[in-house]
Amino acid sequence: MYVLANEPSVALYRLQEHVRRSLPELAQHKSDMQSWEEQSQGAIYTVEYACSAIKNMTDSSVYFKSIDSLLKHAIAMKEQLNAAQGRSTVAPQSKNPPASS
């Protein structure tokens, strides 16, 4: 009985049974893991893209500051032009003598 229970063919049969029972579950786990890996890769790509966009926005702050400065300068020049036009239109009217009747 001891010899028959420890015979190599019986051990191989038991290994085969174990593999046959556990293989479908292992295949399902492998499939699940591959699916999770694909989802993770997609999430990683999204996060890396967002980080890159934020870095580019941070790097562009220099350009926005320059644009802000140029806009302020343009507004100041426009106000100066408006003030100069206002003085030039008011000045000729005050120089004309009143009409005598």
Side-chain angles (χ1 to χ4, degrees), residues 33-54:
M33 293 301 283
Q34 287 174 337
S35 173
W36 291 340
E37 180 185 16
E38 290 173 6
Q39 291 175 355
S40 298
Q41 290 297 326
I44 289 169
Y45 175 78
T46 302
V47 169
E48 287 176 348
Y49 184 75
C51 288
S52 172
I54 290 171

Side-chain angles (χ1 to χ4, degrees), residues 65-87:
K65 288 178 184 175
S66 175
I67 291 169
D68 182 49
S69 172
L70 290 170
L71 285 172
K72 286 179 181 176
H73 183 70
I75 290 170
M77 290 189 72
K78 177 64 177 165
E79 288 174 352
Q80 287 178 350
L81 286 172
N82 287 345
Q85 275 184 336
R87 277 188 246 129

